[in-house]
């Protein structure tokens, strides 16, 4: 069963080849498209019958137009109106029927000279090229550039779903970029705030390339701090408490760290466990819990 294709058929949804269109169909389709490109208005069968090279009655033209509509190439915006090409029809016209002309030598020289006259500044050259194209085509000139040198002003995270968050990057020049990232399930909102604070403290005023370098440095420093912390706890007994800035790893978060080492059967320290929380922890309760847990783990390992 054939179905009529509406004007909003997605490009590529129907396969049409030139073999499906005889010379008469191609001529009529070309007239519909070229009329639309020239005027933006639908064209009726009576007008087309006057334009095509092969004489046809309006009734015969309507039959061909019906076939073209079944193929998804044209549509009627209103019941009694003429026909317009669909997006698919325009795609087919551009790919299969349109004849592309070539620029003359004088046109090329003139365009090259206009752009070259802008100077060596990249912004000036792009502006000139955009303005020239706008004037030549009577359309809006568009320039897209990848600005890797934009400096960051602010970074913010917004939780969207349990495992997705929106990253908002604001540049010094007012540009705003949004990106969606994956986050661990159960990550508390406070961690997103802490991450934003950390990044804003470290990468504000940096380009993305510079920010990457800064974060790599910060990660290396953090790893060194962690190694140093571990070494200190391997040399001592019981739980250790680091409040606020006492622990450089978590100084920005206003948190406290309470950790204790655990050992294998030979007594060698093989790891550290503990908690990180707000500085207003109930130390009296938490410290013995951490210390005892470490002893239980050590006993189980040694067992």
């Amino acid at each position: 069963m054939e179905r009529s294709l509406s004007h909003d058929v997605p490009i590529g949804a129907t396969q049409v080849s030139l073999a499906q269109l005889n010379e008469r169909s191609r001529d009529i389709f070309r007239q519909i498209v070229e009329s639309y490109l020239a005027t933006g208005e639908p064209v009726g069968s009576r007008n087309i019958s006057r334009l095509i090279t092969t004489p046809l009655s309006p009734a015969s033209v309507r039959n061909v137009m019906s076939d073209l509509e079944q193929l998804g190439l044209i549509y009627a915006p209103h019941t009694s109106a003429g026909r317009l090409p669909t997006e698919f029809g325009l795609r087919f016209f551009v790919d299969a029927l349109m004849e592309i002309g070539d620029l003359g030598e004088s046109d090329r020289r003139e365009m090259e000279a206009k752009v070259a006259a802008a100077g060596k500044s990249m912004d000036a050259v792009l502006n000139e090229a955009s303005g020239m194209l706008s004037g030549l085509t009577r359309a809006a000139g568009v320039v897209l550039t990848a600005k890797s040198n934009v400096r960051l002003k602010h970074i913010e995270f917004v939780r969207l779903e349990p495992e997705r968050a929106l990253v908002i990057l604001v540049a010094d020049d007012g540009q705003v970029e949004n990106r969606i990232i994956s986050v661990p399930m159960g990550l508390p909102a406070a961690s997103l705030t802490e991450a934003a604070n950390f990044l804003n403290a470290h990468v504000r005023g940096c380009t993305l390339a510079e920010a990457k370098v800064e974060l790599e440095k910060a990660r290396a420093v953090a790893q060194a701090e962690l190694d140093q912390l571990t070494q200190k706890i391997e040399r001592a007994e019981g739980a250790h408490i680091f409040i606020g800035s006492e622990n450089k790893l978590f100084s920005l978060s206003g948190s406290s760290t309470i950790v204790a080492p655990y050992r294998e059967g030979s007594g060698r320290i093989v790891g550290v466990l503990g908690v990180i929380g707000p500085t207003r922890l109930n130390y009296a309760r938490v410290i013995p819990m951490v210390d005892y847990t470490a002893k239980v783990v050590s006993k189980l390992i040694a067992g």
Side-chain angles (χ1 to χ4, degrees):
M1 176 179 176
E2 289 188 354
R3 66 184 181 89
S4 177
L5 295 173
S6 65
H7 66 278
D8 59 350
V9 173
I11 292 175
T14 301
Q15 297 299 319
V16 177
S17 68
L18 281 176
Q20 293 175 261
L21 302 182
N22 57 30
E23 186 175 349
R24 183 175 61 178
S25 298
R26 294 181 197 177
D27 196 9
I28 290 174
F29 176 60
R30 183 189 297 277
Q31 292 299 334
I32 293 173
V33 174
E34 291 182 348
S35 176
Y36 165 74
L37 295 178
T39 68
E41 298 294 330
V43 60
S45 57
R46 189 172 300 277
N47 287 334
I48 290 178
S49 67
R50 301 192 191 104
L51 296 171
I52 56 178
T53 55
T54 305
L56 282 178
S57 68
S60 297
V61 172
R62 282 195 293 273
N63 288 335
V64 174
M65 291 168 69
S66 177
D67 292 338
L68 294 173
E69 195 164 358
Q70 288 293 322
L71 290 172
L73 296 173
I74 62 173
Y75 75 101
H78 307 290
T79 305
S80 59
R83 299 298 187 272
L84 291 173
T86 62
E87 287 187 358
F88 174 76
L90 287 175
R91 178 79 266 169
F92 177 74
F93 176 80
V94 169
D95 289 345
L97 295 176
M98 187 174 68
E99 297 177 2
I100 301 176
D102 195 11
L103 287 174
E105 187 62 30
S106 60
D107 291 330
R108 293 180 184 180
R109 285 198 300 266
E110 183 179 354
M111 294 171 69
E112 185 177 347
K114 283 184 178 179
V115 176
K120 294 184 178 180
S121 164
M122 181 61 71
D123 287 341
V125 168
L126 292 175
N127 286 336
E128 179 60 37
S130 175
M132 180 187 68
L133 288 175
S134 179
L136 291 173
T137 62
R138 296 183 181 180
V142 176
V143 175
L144 297 177
T145 58
K147 293 190 174 181
S148 59
N149 60 339
V150 171
R151 298 194 174 276
L152 295 172
K153 180 180 180 181
H154 182 73
I155 298 175
E156 187 173 345
F157 296 94
V158 178
R159 172 68 61 80
L160 299 177
E161 297 175 2
E163 294 185 78
R164 295 205 309 166
L166 179 70
V167 184
I168 304 171
L169 304 173
V170 182
D172 276 344
D173 62 0
Q175 291 187 67
V176 178
E177 291 279 346
N178 296 325
R179 294 288 184 273
I180 294 177
I181 62 170
S182 298
V183 296
M185 175 69 79
L187 184 73
S191 295
L192 291 176
T193 302
E194 183 177 328
N197 291 338
F198 177 85
L199 291 172
N200 285 318
H202 282 79
V203 304
R204 183 171 183 174
C206 297
T207 65
L208 288 176
E210 292 169 347
K212 182 178 180 181
V213 173
E214 287 298 315
L215 291 177
E216 285 294 334
K217 288 180 180 178
R219 187 192 66 80
V221 170
Q223 184 63 51
E225 292 286 345
L226 185 60
D227 292 342
Q228 186 179 12
L229 173 64
T230 303
Q231 289 174 7
K232 287 181 179 178
I233 298 172
E234 283 174 352
R235 292 195 296 265
E237 297 290 335
H240 290 254
I241 306 98
F242 301 88
I243 300 175
S245 60
E246 291 177 357
N247 179 4
K248 294 180 181 179
L249 278 176
F250 306 101
S251 60
L252 287 177
S253 63
S255 60
S256 288
T257 308
I258 301 176
V259 291
Y262 58 91
R263 306 168 184 272
E264 62 179 5
S266 65
R268 184 173 66 89
I269 294 176
V270 292
V272 174
L273 58 81
V275 297
I276 300 172
T279 53
R280 54 186 182 84
L281 278 173
N282 185 342
Y283 296 96
R285 182 170 181 267
V286 174
I287 292 170
M289 292 179 68
V290 170
D291 190 36
Y292 181 70
T293 303
K295 291 177 180 176
V296 170
V297 170
S298 297
K299 184 177 180 179
L300 289 175
I301 292 176

